[in-house]
Amino acid sequence: MRIIVDTDPGVDDALALFNLAASPEAEIVAIGTVHGNVPAPQATANTLRLLELLGLTHIPVAGGAQRPLAQPLMTAESVHGDDGLGGFAGPEPVTRPTNESAAEQIVRLARANPGELTLLALGPLTNVALALQLEPELPKLLERIVVMGGALNAPGNITSYAEANFWHDPEAADHVLGAGFPDLTVVGLDVTMEAHADDRWLARLAALNNPIAAYATSIVGFYAAFYESFLGKPGFVPHDSLAVAIMLDPDLATYREERFAIELTGRHTRGQLVADLRYLAPGSPFDRDIAKDRTPAKYAVTVDTERFLDWMIDTLTVAEP
């Protein structure tokens, strides 16, 4: 599987990159960065650091959108630390990003490899929305897109209704969901919040004897402390790693297929993932009233949590710099 990653590291993004890099069935073709957990320049520096740590400096990194399409920039250092990596980002990277934007990189690679690339979006969808403006045929050029975002039948994690990635740029998320991607999977809080890595999992991570696992242990401390204060129990939620796992092994989850949109104007619900979830029989005279003209997407609704958490440990066990 050849993959373009769009990301905003972020502790859980870093773990996801470690998991992905250690997966033999995956090839990271390129990475684009975006605002979200931290400002985009910090996300770019963190991505370069992580690739240097992994010994993958041949992978091009393109800096992306520095603000949302239609609202002020808001970031999440309170969750991920001032440097986005729990205070353990380390020295400035030696490598540098490319001269093209993340959106331009997506379009160039998709045009050059039609039907061959999967896009994995782990942050706000601003870059993907901009890529669609540059190339409206992008849905036909990508083999598949997997998005971490949304909360359909679960509470939000940044407001009562909105998940963080979609809340950071609701207009971009709605544009992507309405673009007509024929194979779009959304991995949201319905499954990520169920895949909680507890203190026993953290102990398993700390017991691994390699530099990548040691770095993962150091950066996850701040993130886990936030989640303990948020959820009232030890551990953390590896949102982005679960998106990677489901991308590589779709049978890890079960899905609901719906036509989705993002609430853009609600006073209390802006950024919420919405769909018409009424029980309507086939042929019912009551038409769907949400996103009825859009292409359906798959939304993960259950996940094999034990198998996923074991997979995270397995990939971090074999991760090598």
Side-chain angles (χ1 to χ4, degrees):
M1 188 181 298
R2 303 178 65 213
I3 301 155
I4 305 170
V5 182
D6 199 77
T7 185
D8 58 335
V11 173
D12 58 331
D13 303 74
L15 295 176
L17 288 175
F18 293 159
N19 299 138
L20 182 58
S23 299
E25 65 270 44
E27 175 194 354
I28 304 173
V29 174
I31 300 178
T33 64
V34 67
H35 69 90
N37 292 325
V38 290
Q42 184 69 41
T44 301
N46 286 348
T47 300
L48 294 169
R49 288 185 177 100
L50 296 170
L51 291 180
E52 289 176 3
L53 182 64
L54 288 163
L56 298 176
T57 55
H58 65 281
I59 296 174
V61 175
Q66 299 199 22
R67 55 156 294 164
L69 297 180
Q71 68 182 24
L73 173 67
M74 292 170 278
T75 52
E77 287 87 351
S78 62
V79 180
H80 297 269
D82 288 342
D83 61 3
L85 294 174
F88 290 90
E92 287 299 311
V94 176
T95 49
R96 293 291 178 262
T98 66
N99 291 325
E100 65 183 344
S101 72
E104 290 170 327
Q105 179 175 256
I106 291 170
V107 170
R108 176 178 58 79
L109 290 171
R111 286 172 174 167
N113 303 273
E116 297 180 7
L117 299 175
T118 292
L119 177 60
L120 173 65
L122 300 177
L125 292 173
T126 316
N127 289 335
V128 187
L130 293 172
L132 284 163
Q133 295 298 307
L134 294 171
E135 177 51 274
E137 297 299 309
L138 187 64
K140 298 178 181 178
L141 296 174
L142 291 172
E143 180 181 17
R144 184 177 172 215
I145 177 171
V146 176
V147 171
M148 191 278 121
L152 190 62
N153 288 305
N157 63 350
I158 199 160
T159 72
S160 297
Y161 296 94
E163 177 276 332
N165 282 342
F166 287 1
W167 180 85
H168 278 293
D169 196 339
E171 280 75 16
D174 189 61
H175 188 45
V176 172
L177 292 173
F181 285 99
D183 191 347
L184 169 59
T185 300
V186 181
V187 180
L189 300 188
D190 294 55
V191 287
T192 65
M193 294 303 293
E194 294 299 315
H196 182 266
D198 61 15
D199 51 351
R200 292 171 298 176
W201 189 94
L202 287 168
R204 292 173 67 191
L205 174 65
L208 298 180
N209 186 27
N210 69 65
I212 301 301
Y215 187 83
T217 299
S218 67
I219 67 173
V220 82
F222 188 97
Y223 190 60
F226 168 82
Y227 265 99
E228 184 169 358
S229 70
F230 184 61
L231 298 176
K233 58 183 179 181
F236 71 102
V237 181
H239 302 281
D240 292 339
S241 290
L242 183 56
V244 170
I246 287 174
M247 176 188 68
L248 297 176
D249 181 9
D251 291 339
L252 191 66
T254 64
Y255 307 89
R256 178 167 188 155
E257 190 167 289
E258 299 287 349
R259 292 171 170 85
F260 294 103
I262 302 295
E263 175 57 54
L264 299 178
T265 59
R267 177 182 176 186
H268 300 293
T269 57
R270 177 169 163 80
Q272 181 183 10
L273 178 70
V274 294
D276 191 334
L277 302 180
R278 292 177 294 170
Y279 295 101
L280 298 181
S284 167
F286 297 95
D287 197 5
R288 297 286 179 181
D289 64 355
I290 296 176
K292 60 184 179 181
D293 298 323
R294 293 188 169 188
T295 302
K298 291 185 293 185
Y299 184 83
V301 292
T302 69
V303 66
D304 186 335
T305 296
E306 184 176 354
R307 183 152 64 98
F308 160 64
L309 292 174
D310 285 344
W311 170 85
M312 279 192 74
I313 289 292
D314 290 343
T315 53
L316 290 168
T317 299
V318 301
E320 295 181 359

